[in-house]
Amino acid sequence: MRFEVVYPAETWSIMPEPGAGADDLWVAEQRMAYSGGVLAGLADALEGAAREALARRRTGIDTSLFFRPSDMPMTGVLHATIRALPAEVDAEAATSGSLDWMLPDAALLTEPAVEEFETESVPHGYRAAYVTTVPDGAGATLAGISYGLVLPGMVGVVFSELADREVIGTMQRFADPVVGSLRVVG
C-alpha cells in the first residue's frame, strides 16, 4: 500500500528505507537543515539524533518521518502504515469498539486522551495522546501520540516513538496537518 503525505521540509524529513544505502546521505541532509539557522551550534547533536532515529526504523512500516523543527532543539520519529482489510470486514465496524488497535503495546499510566480526527483525505479517525509507564533515563515517564485512520476498506496507524512529554506535545501540533494530508495512491 502506497500513500503520499505533504509535510513542511523545515520541520520533517522522510527517513530512507532500511537497506537503501542512503543513511549517510540522509544524516548529512539533517545536519544541513540546522546549518544556517539559530540552532547551528547543535548540528552535532542533531546528527546524533538522526543516527538514533535511523536505528528506530521498524519492519512492516510503510514510512517513517523524522521530526526536527529547524528552530526548536528537539527531535522525534513518527511511523505510518496502512493495511487493506479483507473484503468481508467493514472498517468502521472493525474499529468502532475498542481503540486498542491504535495504541502502543506499552502499559499506560492513565487513560489516553482520545479525540475524533477527520480531514478531507481522512474521512474518519482518532487521535490519542498517552503517557506510558516506561521511564526515560532520569525516571520521567515517556509519552506518545497515535492516529487511527479509518479509510474505505483500509485502516491506517500513525504513531510516534515514545519521547519526553514536551516533545510529544510539540510534535502533535506539527503532526496533525501532516497526518491529515495522507492520501492513498496505490
Side-chain angles (χ1 to χ4, degrees):
M1 190 74 46
R2 302 306 301 164
F3 57 89
E4 64 183 26
V5 64
V6 177
Y7 60 92
E10 65 276 0
T11 307
W12 298 94
S13 177
I14 298 284
M15 295 169 63
E17 296 285 328
D23 289 3
D24 289 338
L25 176 61
W26 181 80
V27 168
E29 289 172 355
Q30 303 322 299
R31 186 181 181 93
M32 291 296 294
Y34 277 118
S35 65
V38 295
L39 301 175
L42 297 176
D44 290 341
L46 177 66
E47 182 176 327
R51 290 193 187 285
E52 180 183 329
L54 287 173
R56 294 177 183 246
R57 289 178 293 196
R58 299 178 183 211
T59 56
I61 296 296
D62 295 316
T63 197
S64 296
L65 292 106
F66 185 51
F67 175 66
R68 47 118 182 93
S70 58
D71 58 351
M72 290 181 239
M74 60 180 60
T75 62
V77 177
L78 200 63
H79 303 287
T81 188
I82 297 177
R83 296 292 175 252
L85 293 172
E88 68 276 3
V89 176
D90 176 64
E92 286 290 336
T95 59
S96 64
S98 168
L99 296 179
D100 289 347
W101 60 277
M102 62 174 274
L103 293 174
D105 292 335
L108 301 182
L109 189 63
T110 62
E111 288 295 312
V114 179
E115 297 182 70
E116 296 278 329
F117 184 80
E118 299 174 355
T119 68
E120 184 180 317
S121 60
V122 178
H124 185 74
Y126 306 94
R127 178 186 57 231
Y130 49 86
V131 178
T132 70
T133 59
V134 177
D136 67 7
T141 52
L142 296 174
I145 52 174
S146 182
Y147 298 80
L149 312 175
V150 183
L151 306 163
M154 300 171 243
V155 292
V157 178
V158 178
F159 64 97
S160 69
E161 287 288 334
L162 297 179
D164 174 89
R165 294 178 196 189
E166 183 180 349
V167 171
I168 292 297
T170 303
M171 187 165 41
Q172 180 182 325
R173 285 190 6 242
F174 289 93
D176 281 357
V178 172
V179 175
S181 76
L182 186 140
R183 294 185 192 283
V184 176
V185 294

